[in-house]
Amino acid sequence: MASSDGVRDLFAPPRVLAADGGEPGELLLRSAEELGEYPVTVVHSLREWAGIAPEHPLISERARGDWRTVSYGRAVAAADAIGQALLDRDLGPGRPLLVLSGNGVDHLLVTLGAMMAGIPVAPVSVAYSLQSRDHARIRDIAGLIGPGAVFAADAAAFEAALDALPGIPAVVSAGHRDEAEQLSVLMNTNPGEAVRTAFANLSPDGTAKILFTSGSTGAPKGVLNTHRMLAANQRMIRQAWPFLGWERPVIVDWLPWSHTFGGNHNLNMMISSGGTLYVDAGRPVPALFGQTIRNLTDVPPTIYFNVPAGYAQLVPALEADPEFAARFFSRLRLVFNAAAALPAALRDRLAAVAEHTVGRQIPVTGSWGATETAPAVTSAHFPFTDARCIGVPLPGAEVKLVPADGDACEIRVRGPMVTPGYFGRPDLTAAAFDADGFYRTGDAVALADPADLSAGLVFRGRIAEDFKLASGTFVRVGAVRTRLLSVIPVLSDAVLAGENRDYVSALGWLNAAEARRLLGGEPAADGELIVHGELHKLLARALAEHNGAAGSAARVERLVVLASPASLDAGEITDKGYINQRRVLARRAGLVDMLYADPVPAGVVAAERTS
């Protein structure tokens, strides 16, 4: 029987074991459920599903308005051919395949082909190709890994990026480029003994992917993702989400495959569970979100994945269009949020529109992990109310909590889903692990309820983002930011300033959909800031509300609303929507100084004073 909260019929119950970590204050946590068996690689799962139902759709993307779909059987056949062709061109474990273009059918087929043949795949952010002027990061990545070939779906769109990689053989699937091969040629290759032998020799410890962290300075780090990491992590997730064993999921997803959330968590979930992924060319920004609505109307998902910026666009659209809401919720089992905590107010509105539309709430869940952990380490597979909850350790994951500054702990991780290190950087690899072999994540967490370990952990932010005020008061940026965005839904995101200052201030971005709903229109920009009398009155009152229930470390006294969006090319934001706090503050130092000027400058919102 389904439970009233819609959770217990979907998820395994949380069971957590604890032990002393060895050093004062340390705590070890793990699931009481042992990790079950898992295949050598996720492409072994692909072959198994192709044998069960070869015509079942694996992936689909829009092409000239219609959906281009590839089945499991066709995907395996194409992957075998591409894998043979790549081996014929001398790619192998030491000569990876570099992928420049974004999510799509052809991107998936070349990825599967390389993985079938034991060739590591290195997908990089599309922004490095299409938004960069000097393409320095692409050249740095190519110089680090020495790719045997580079793939780009569209020769014309990626012309400048391909020009930046002279001497590396190129494969394209659309358009023409001198000396570049067409993907269709590779797909027409007859699979031979080489690819069969390579597949038979695949090892759990072989490198499946090299994923690059989205650091704001210097060359990106190449995180080694082994076949064991990817296959084990999917088994871990399925043990927490047992419904994946009896229902083939359908998702409509935009999250980039150059990141672990989209490329490992979501894509591999479809492959491992026999599901179908519909590629969403939309993004959680006003100019592109209409495409997302169109796609979700065409294909109602059974699971929906997004980041808070995406839900900030989705919820107003659901509230405004009952027909769209009915379609979206028609077969939805759960909503998954990642990258940052989903503000409580937004979560409440999502629950309300679901209740109004289908007569029940849709479970909202989340997880926590990193590029280095393939990615899921913890999962909130139980009801929770704190927006910062990241759940309990998944089966097979060992978590060590190490006391950090303030009232939280650094979370460290060990298990089969953890990377062996960074490509070509033994120095970084050595520094990333402690003496017990736990990966140092740099993230801060705390027990949701010290008396009940099954209540899980709450995320307290990046340790590197936290700071102290001039008074010595410690500010947990992640916790303050989450509450601020919940109290002020007209903001889509924010960063906090205040290190060595007398109080905390914030720089924020406007949620255009919320602004139109609350103000009857979208305020216009004046230079670097959005200056609008009614908006500023609303924000001043909201800051006062936030501060009324906050301690000294969580009060936000001033705020500016930025007219220019966070820059992906400058490293202020990743292409999955996660804000780089330190980078924003550094690039906008003049505006930070403005927040602390006296008297209060025009354009700066000061918290309304209450008597």
Side-chain angles (χ1 to χ4, degrees), residues 293 296-297 300-301 314-332 350 352-358 362:
I293 293 176
L296 290 171
T297 302
L314 176 66
V315 171
L318 292 169
E319 292 171 333
D321 188 343
E323 290 186 7
F324 169 54
R327 184 73 171 156
F328 176 75
F329 289 118
S330 62
R331 57 177 180 178
L332 191 66
L350 181 62
V353 71
E355 183 81 42
H356 178 75
T357 303
V358 293
I362 304 296

Side-chain angles (χ1 to χ4, degrees), residues 324-602:
F324 169 54
R327 184 73 171 156
F328 176 75
F329 289 118
S330 62
R331 57 177 180 178
L332 191 66
R333 289 199 164 272
L334 65 93
V335 167
F336 185 101
N337 174 71
L342 185 64
L346 199 59
R347 184 181 173 189
D348 290 344
R349 287 169 60 191
L350 181 62
V353 71
E355 183 81 42
H356 178 75
T357 303
V358 293
R360 63 185 177 91
Q361 294 188 11
I362 304 296
V364 177
T365 187
S367 183
W368 172 86
T371 306
E372 288 85 352
T373 61
V377 175
T378 66
S379 175
H381 51 99
F382 50 85
F384 63 92
T385 56
D386 191 328
R388 301 168 299 162
C389 183
I390 59 172
V392 297
L394 287 164
E398 295 180 89
V399 163
K400 182 199 291 188
L401 305 185
V402 179
D405 288 339
D407 57 351
C409 295
E410 181 190 13
I411 181 171
R412 299 181 183 180
V413 184
R414 188 168 64 184
M417 73 296 176
V418 176
T419 182
Y422 300 99
F423 189 100
R425 293 299 304 268
D427 55 332
L428 295 178
T429 299
F433 295 88
D434 68 15
D436 296 320
F438 283 83
Y439 168 63
R440 306 172 186 264
T441 70
D443 282 352
V445 301
L447 293 171
D449 181 355
D452 180 11
L453 295 179
S454 65
L457 301 168
V458 291
F459 184 68
R460 301 296 294 273
R462 293 287 297 167
I463 291 173
E465 292 182 347
D466 296 338
F467 57 80
K468 289 183 179 180
L469 297 173
S471 63
T473 301
F474 200 83
V475 178
R476 286 288 180 198
V477 168
V480 178
R481 174 188 167 278
T482 297
R483 188 175 187 281
L484 185 70
L485 294 178
S486 183
V487 173
I488 313 179
V490 77
L491 295 181
S492 64
D493 216 327
V495 299
L496 302 185
E499 187 167 12
N500 297 321
R501 306 269 194 171
D502 292 332
Y503 52 85
V504 178
S505 292
L507 295 84
W509 288 272
L510 195 66
N511 181 332
E514 286 297 292
R516 288 191 294 270
R517 184 177 72 90
L518 295 173
L519 302 172
E522 187 174 339
D526 181 7
E528 293 182 287
L529 304 179
I530 291 178
V531 180
H532 186 280
E534 290 304 313
L535 173 65
H536 280 208
K537 290 178 184 178
L538 182 154
L539 291 173
R541 290 192 298 269
L543 282 181
E545 179 185 347
H546 168 84
N547 291 343
S552 60
R555 294 174 61 87
V556 179
E557 299 295 344
R558 296 185 182 181
L559 166 71
V560 294
V561 181
L562 304 176
S564 60
S567 169
L568 191 149
D569 201 30
E572 289 186 322
I573 190 172
T574 71
D575 50 1
K576 69 175 182 179
Y578 184 78
I579 294 291
N580 184 321
Q581 164 100 5
R582 293 286 183 182
R583 186 60 176 160
V584 171
L585 295 176
R587 289 192 74 241
R588 304 179 191 242
L591 293 177
V592 174
D593 289 339
M594 185 177 171
L595 283 166
Y596 293 92
D598 286 314
V600 180

Side-chain angles (χ1 to χ4, degrees), residues 165-179:
L165 301 173
I168 301 176
V171 178
V172 299
S173 55
H176 172 77
R177 178 179 174 83
D178 291 344
E179 299 182 3

